[in-house]
Amino acid sequence: MPQFVIERDMPGVGGLGSADLKGASQQSCSVLRDLGPEIQWVHSYVTDDKIYCIYRAPSEDLIRQHAETAGFPANRISEVRTMIDPTTAD
C-alpha cells in the first residue's frame, strides 16, 4: 500500500503537553476507525511548529478526507517513492 508523509503547519505544536497530544491522537484514531482499515497512521514527528505524519493509504484523497474530518491541517502530502537508510550504502 502506498505510504505518505503529511506535513501539518501547526504553530506552537511542540509546546503542547501530553494531554493535548493524547487528545489529538484520540481524535485521529476515532476518524481512522470510521474511515475503515484502508488507511493507517504509522507515526508522527512533532517539531516546534509542524507535525510530520507517516500514513499508509490507497490514495491522497483518503488522507485529505481524514484531515478534514479530524480537523487537522494537511498542508503538503507527498507519496513516499522509496526508503533509504545507512544500509543502503552497503
Side-chain angles (χ1 to χ4, degrees), residues 9 15 25 31-32 34 43 46 52-53 58 60 69 73-74 77 79 82:
D9 292 337
S25 297
V31 173
L32 288 169
D34 291 342
H43 59 263
V46 179
Y52 298 90
C53 301
E60 183 178 324
T69 304
I77 300 172
E79 186 172 348
T82 192

Side-chain angles (χ1 to χ4, degrees), residues 6 8-9 19 24 31 36 38 54 57 64 69:
I6 301 96
R8 305 183 192 279
D9 292 337
V31 173
E38 286 191 316
I54 309 300
R64 287 202 184 281
T69 304

